[in-house]
Amino acid sequence: MNYLAHFHIAQHTNTSVVGAFLGDFVKGNHWQSYHDEVQLGIKLHRKIDSFTDQQVNQLGLTHYFQADLRRYSGIALDVYFDYLLSLHWQQFSQSSRSNFISHCYQQLQHFPLPDKAMHTANHMREYDWLEQYQHQDSVAGTLRAISRRLRRPVKLELLYEDILCHSNELEAAFLALYPKVLLHAQEFLSNYPPSK
């Protein structure tokens, strides 16, 4: 799951949007330097990523992608799943998508993020990434942008061709998977030890 999904899961579970965002930036046990609410959001982000990876493997979704780029299929699926969540927003949320996105931007804007996370949050808000997810062709552009950040050059946008070839199967997989993700998030929280 990518940014929109992690933020939506935070809303769904009444946890921290900032923590959901920082899950991609806080490594190792550095989560301990944040207050309890953000710590929980970071841990939930990690739990969701792990669960989603397991489910993707069980469903064999990586086999829809060309062999030489298959190792990057998880990135492509994360981005495409955000598009599908945007497409089916009303099925999973009672709030307006635009209002929700504005709320997320505000949460990130008013939190003292570390430098790399702050840079990403500023770009996200400036170019309105979360609203762009509603357009299918933004998936290719997002993959192209991610490619530029990789240590060695890889044309991730080529994975978009595989997505288009298998869009029906991937959409069906998402619609079956995402309710399980939301349930898994709730189960994680119900078993989470209370703050001391």
Side-chain angles (χ1 to χ4, degrees):
M1 301 297 161
N2 207 31
Y3 294 117
L4 184 64
H6 278 294
F7 294 159
H8 174 256
I9 292 165
Q11 180 201 46
H12 183 77
T13 56
N14 197 29
T15 55
S16 169
V17 167
V18 172
F21 177 70
L22 285 175
D24 277 335
F25 298 93
V26 176
K27 306 304 180 186
N29 63 358
H30 292 280
W31 53 267
Q32 295 174 350
S33 63
Y34 293 92
H35 61 75
D36 291 346
E37 182 183 357
V38 173
Q39 285 187 18
L40 177 56
I42 293 169
K43 290 179 181 179
L44 178 58
H45 179 121
R46 293 178 177 181
K47 192 71 174 175
I48 291 303
D49 280 353
S50 176
F51 178 76
T52 303
D53 288 345
Q54 286 178 341
Q55 293 296 308
V56 163
N57 288 333
Q58 288 178 15
L59 293 169
L61 301 186
T62 59
H63 295 293
Y64 290 127
F65 296 90
Q66 52 198 284
D68 56 338
L69 291 175
R70 192 167 290 157
R71 62 182 291 201
Y72 301 102
S73 61
I75 297 173
L77 286 170
D78 281 350
V79 174
Y80 192 59
F81 283 171
D82 264 15
Y83 159 71
L84 291 172
L85 175 58
S86 187
L87 181 67
H88 296 284
W89 184 259
Q90 296 306 321
Q91 183 172 334
F92 297 107
S93 179
Q94 295 180 344
S95 62
S96 155
R97 188 185 65 236
S98 294
N99 289 344
F100 169 74
I101 288 171
S102 295
H103 169 73
C104 291
Y105 289 155
Q106 289 171 7
Q107 292 288 303
L108 296 177
Q109 188 173 12
H110 294 106
F111 190 89
L113 299 167
D115 288 347
K116 186 176 180 182
M118 179 67 76
H119 176 77
T120 300
N122 288 341
H123 268 71
M124 180 186 294
R125 191 170 57 252
E126 181 180 356
Y127 296 102
D128 204 4
W129 292 358
L130 300 180
E131 280 287 2
Q132 294 304 315
Y133 285 136
Q134 68 180 301
H135 306 294
Q136 188 175 24
D137 57 3
S138 73
V139 174
T142 301
L143 292 174
R144 193 175 298 111
I146 294 172
S147 296
R148 292 194 290 268
R149 299 197 296 269
L150 297 177
R151 290 182 180 176
R152 67 185 188 91
V154 179
K155 291 189 175 183
L156 293 183
E157 62 270 23
L158 295 177
L159 294 170
Y160 183 59
E161 299 173 10
D162 300 322
I163 287 172
L164 291 179
C165 288
H166 301 285
S167 59
N168 290 338
E169 296 93 331
L170 293 174
E171 183 173 7
F174 170 79
L175 291 173
L177 171 59
Y178 197 61
K180 295 179 182 178
V181 170
L182 296 177
L183 180 60
H184 189 72
Q186 291 172 322
E187 289 174 348
F188 170 73
L189 291 174
S190 68
N191 294 315
Y192 189 77
S195 301
K196 294 182 180 179

